[in-house]
CSV table of all heavy atoms in Angstrom, one decimal:
chain,number,residue,atom,x,y,z
A,1,LEU,N,96.0,112.2,88.0
A,1,LEU,CA,97.4,112.7,87.7
A,1,LEU,C,97.9,112.3,86.3
A,1,LEU,O,98.6,112.9,85.7
A,1,LEU,CB,98.3,112.1,88.8
A,1,LEU,CG,98.1,112.8,90.2
A,1,LEU,CD1,98.9,112.1,91.2
A,1,LEU,CD2,98.4,114.2,90.2
A,2,ARG,N,97.4,111.1,85.8
A,2,ARG,CA,97.8,110.7,84.5
A,2,ARG,C,97.2,111.4,83.4
A,2,ARG,O,97.6,111.3,82.3
A,2,ARG,CB,97.6,109.1,84.3
A,2,ARG,CG,98.6,108.3,85.1
A,2,ARG,CD,98.4,106.8,84.6
A,2,ARG,NE,97.1,106.3,84.7
A,2,ARG,CZ,96.7,105.7,85.8
A,2,ARG,NH1,97.5,105.4,86.8
A,2,ARG,NH2,95.4,105.2,85.9
A,3,HIS,N,96.0,112.1,83.7
A,3,HIS,CA,95.3,112.7,82.7
A,3,HIS,C,95.1,114.2,83.0
A,3,HIS,O,94.0,114.8,82.8
A,3,HIS,CB,93.9,112.1,82.6
A,3,HIS,CG,94.0,110.7,82.2
A,3,HIS,ND1,94.1,110.3,80.8
A,3,HIS,CD2,94.1,109.5,82.8
A,3,HIS,CE1,94.3,109.0,80.7
A,3,HIS,NE2,94.1,108.5,81.9
A,4,GLY,N,96.1,114.9,83.3
A,4,GLY,CA,96.1,116.4,83.4
A,4,GLY,C,96.0,117.0,84.8
A,4,GLY,O,96.2,118.1,84.9
A,5,GLY,N,95.7,116.2,85.8
A,5,GLY,CA,95.6,116.7,87.1
A,5,GLY,C,96.9,117.1,87.6
A,5,GLY,O,98.0,116.5,87.2
A,6,LYS,N,97.0,117.9,88.6
A,6,LYS,CA,98.3,118.2,89.3
A,6,LYS,C,98.2,118.3,90.7
A,6,LYS,O,97.0,118.8,91.2
A,6,LYS,CB,99.0,119.4,88.7
A,6,LYS,CG,98.2,120.7,88.9
A,6,LYS,CD,99.0,121.9,88.3
A,6,LYS,CE,98.1,123.1,88.6
A,6,LYS,NZ,98.9,124.3,88.2
A,7,GLU,N,99.2,118.1,91.5
A,7,GLU,CA,99.1,118.4,92.9
A,7,GLU,C,99.4,119.8,93.3
A,7,GLU,O,100.3,120.4,92.6
A,7,GLU,CB,100.2,117.5,93.7
A,7,GLU,CG,99.9,116.0,93.6
A,7,GLU,CD,100.8,115.2,94.5
A,7,GLU,OE1,101.1,115.7,95.6
A,7,GLU,OE2,101.1,114.1,94.0
A,8,VAL,N,98.7,120.4,94.2
A,8,VAL,CA,98.9,121.8,94.6
A,8,VAL,C,99.0,121.8,96.2
A,8,VAL,O,98.4,120.9,96.8
A,8,VAL,CB,97.8,122.7,94.2
A,8,VAL,CG1,97.8,122.8,92.6
A,8,VAL,CG2,96.5,122.4,94.7
A,9,PRO,N,99.6,122.8,96.7
A,9,PRO,CA,99.7,122.8,98.2
A,9,PRO,C,98.3,123.1,98.7
A,9,PRO,O,97.4,123.6,98.1
A,9,PRO,CB,100.6,124.0,98.4
A,9,PRO,CG,101.3,124.3,97.2
A,9,PRO,CD,100.5,123.8,96.1
A,10,ARG,N,98.1,122.7,99.9
A,10,ARG,CA,96.6,122.8,100.6
A,10,ARG,C,96.2,124.3,100.5
A,10,ARG,O,95.0,124.6,100.3
A,10,ARG,CB,96.7,122.4,102.0
A,10,ARG,CG,95.7,121.3,102.3
A,10,ARG,CD,95.7,121.0,103.7
A,10,ARG,NE,96.9,121.1,104.5
A,10,ARG,CZ,97.2,120.6,105.6
A,10,ARG,NH1,96.2,119.8,106.3
A,10,ARG,NH2,98.3,120.8,106.3
A,11,THR,N,97.2,125.1,100.6
A,11,THR,CA,96.9,126.6,100.7
A,11,THR,C,96.4,127.1,99.3
A,11,THR,O,95.8,128.2,99.3
A,11,THR,CB,98.1,127.4,101.1
A,11,THR,OG1,99.2,127.2,100.2
A,11,THR,CG2,98.5,127.1,102.6
A,12,GLU,N,96.6,126.3,98.3
A,12,GLU,CA,96.1,126.7,96.9
A,12,GLU,C,94.8,126.0,96.4
A,12,GLU,O,94.4,126.2,95.3
A,12,GLU,CB,97.3,126.6,95.9
A,12,GLU,CG,98.4,127.4,96.2
A,12,GLU,CD,99.6,127.2,95.2
A,12,GLU,OE1,99.2,126.6,94.1
A,12,GLU,OE2,100.7,127.6,95.5
A,13,ALA,N,94.3,125.2,97.3
A,13,ALA,CA,93.1,124.5,97.0
A,13,ALA,C,91.9,125.4,96.8
A,13,ALA,O,91.7,126.4,97.6
A,13,ALA,CB,92.8,123.4,98.1
A,14,HIS,N,91.0,125.1,95.9
A,14,HIS,CA,89.8,125.9,95.6
A,14,HIS,C,88.6,125.0,95.6
A,14,HIS,O,88.7,123.8,95.4
A,14,HIS,CB,89.9,126.6,94.2
A,14,HIS,CG,91.0,127.6,94.1
A,14,HIS,ND1,91.5,128.4,95.0
A,14,HIS,CD2,92.0,127.8,93.0
A,14,HIS,CE1,92.5,129.2,94.6
A,14,HIS,NE2,92.8,128.8,93.4
A,15,PRO,N,87.4,125.7,95.7
A,15,PRO,CA,86.2,124.8,95.7
A,15,PRO,C,86.1,124.1,94.3
A,15,PRO,O,86.5,124.6,93.3
A,15,PRO,CB,85.1,125.9,95.7
A,15,PRO,CG,85.7,127.0,96.6
A,15,PRO,CD,87.1,127.0,96.1
A,16,GLY,N,85.8,122.8,94.4
A,16,GLY,CA,85.8,121.9,93.3
A,16,GLY,C,87.0,121.0,93.2
A,16,GLY,O,87.0,120.0,92.5
A,17,ASP,N,88.1,121.5,93.8
A,17,ASP,CA,89.3,120.6,93.8
A,17,ASP,C,89.0,119.3,94.6
A,17,ASP,O,88.1,119.3,95.5
A,17,ASP,CB,90.5,121.3,94.4
A,17,ASP,CG,91.0,122.4,93.5
A,17,ASP,OD1,90.6,122.4,92.3
A,17,ASP,OD2,91.9,123.2,94.0
A,18,ILE,N,89.8,118.3,94.4
A,18,ILE,CA,89.7,117.1,95.2
A,18,ILE,C,91.0,116.9,96.1
A,18,ILE,O,92.0,117.0,95.6
A,18,ILE,CB,89.6,115.8,94.2
A,18,ILE,CG1,88.3,115.9,93.3
A,18,ILE,CG2,89.5,114.5,95.1
A,18,ILE,CD1,88.2,114.9,92.3
A,19,VAL,N,90.6,116.6,97.4
A,19,VAL,CA,91.7,116.4,98.4
A,19,VAL,C,91.9,114.9,98.6
A,19,VAL,O,90.8,114.3,98.8
A,19,VAL,CB,91.4,117.2,99.6
A,19,VAL,CG1,92.6,116.9,100.7
A,19,VAL,CG2,91.3,118.8,99.4
A,20,PHE,N,93.1,114.4,98.6
A,20,PHE,CA,93.2,113.0,98.8
A,20,PHE,C,94.0,112.9,100.2
A,20,PHE,O,94.9,113.6,100.4
A,20,PHE,CB,94.0,112.4,97.7
A,20,PHE,CG,93.3,112.3,96.4
A,20,PHE,CD1,93.4,113.3,95.5
A,20,PHE,CD2,92.4,111.2,96.2
A,20,PHE,CE1,92.7,113.2,94.2
A,20,PHE,CE2,91.7,111.2,95.0
A,20,PHE,CZ,91.8,112.1,94.0
A,21,TYR,N,93.6,112.0,100.9
A,21,TYR,CA,94.2,111.7,102.2
A,21,TYR,C,95.1,110.5,102.2
A,21,TYR,O,94.6,109.5,101.7
A,21,TYR,CB,93.2,111.5,103.3
A,21,TYR,CG,92.3,112.8,103.5
A,21,TYR,CD1,91.1,113.0,102.8
A,21,TYR,CD2,92.7,113.7,104.4
A,21,TYR,CE1,90.4,114.1,103.0
A,21,TYR,CE2,91.9,115.0,104.6
A,21,TYR,CZ,90.8,115.1,103.8
A,21,TYR,OH,90.1,116.3,104.0
A,22,GLU,N,96.3,110.6,102.6
A,22,GLU,CA,97.2,109.5,102.6
A,22,GLU,C,97.4,109.0,104.1
A,22,GLU,O,97.5,109.8,105.1
A,22,GLU,CB,98.6,109.9,102.1
A,22,GLU,CG,98.6,110.2,100.7
A,22,GLU,CD,99.9,110.6,100.0
A,22,GLU,OE1,100.9,110.7,100.8
A,22,GLU,OE2,100.0,110.9,98.9
A,23,GLN,N,97.7,107.7,104.3
A,23,GLN,CA,98.0,107.1,105.6
A,23,GLN,C,99.3,107.6,106.0
A,23,GLN,O,100.2,107.4,105.3
A,23,GLN,CB,97.8,105.6,105.5
A,23,GLN,CG,98.0,104.8,106.8
A,23,GLN,CD,96.9,105.1,107.8
A,23,GLN,OE1,95.8,105.4,107.3
A,23,GLN,NE2,97.2,105.1,109.0
A,24,VAL,N,99.4,108.0,107.3
A,24,VAL,CA,100.7,108.4,107.8
A,24,VAL,C,101.3,107.5,108.8
A,24,VAL,O,102.4,107.4,109.0
A,24,VAL,CB,100.7,109.9,108.3
A,24,VAL,CG1,100.5,110.8,107.1
A,24,VAL,CG2,99.7,110.1,109.4
A,25,ALA,N,100.4,106.9,109.6
A,25,ALA,CA,100.8,106.0,110.7
A,25,ALA,C,100.8,104.6,110.3
A,25,ALA,O,99.8,104.1,109.6
A,25,ALA,CB,99.9,106.2,111.9
A,26,PRO,N,101.7,103.8,110.8
A,26,PRO,CA,101.7,102.3,110.6
A,26,PRO,C,100.6,101.7,111.5
A,26,PRO,O,100.1,102.4,112.4
A,26,PRO,CB,103.1,101.8,110.9
A,26,PRO,CG,103.5,102.9,111.9
A,26,PRO,CD,102.9,104.1,111.5
A,27,GLY,N,100.4,100.4,111.2
A,27,GLY,CA,99.5,99.6,112.2
A,27,GLY,C,98.1,99.6,111.8
A,27,GLY,O,97.2,99.2,112.5
A,28,THR,N,97.7,100.0,110.5
A,28,THR,CA,96.4,99.8,110.0
A,28,THR,C,96.4,98.9,108.7
A,28,THR,O,97.5,98.6,108.3
A,28,THR,CB,95.7,101.1,109.7
A,28,THR,OG1,96.4,101.7,108.5
A,28,THR,CG2,95.8,102.1,110.9
């Protein structure tokens, strides 16, 4: 993100893109 990357909606993801998973539930 600091070097030219940008977030896009999941529906706009293409092969080669990187998907990052964020923790949503507490307790881990």
Side-chain angles (χ1 to χ4, degrees):
L1 290 173
R2 283 192 304 266
H3 295 280
K6 65 178 183 172
E7 291 188 39
V8 298
R10 238 187 329 196
T11 56
E12 294 179 22
H14 298 319
D17 289 348
I18 301 173
V19 177
F20 292 95
Y21 296 90
E22 292 182 1
Q23 183 67 28
V24 293
T28 66

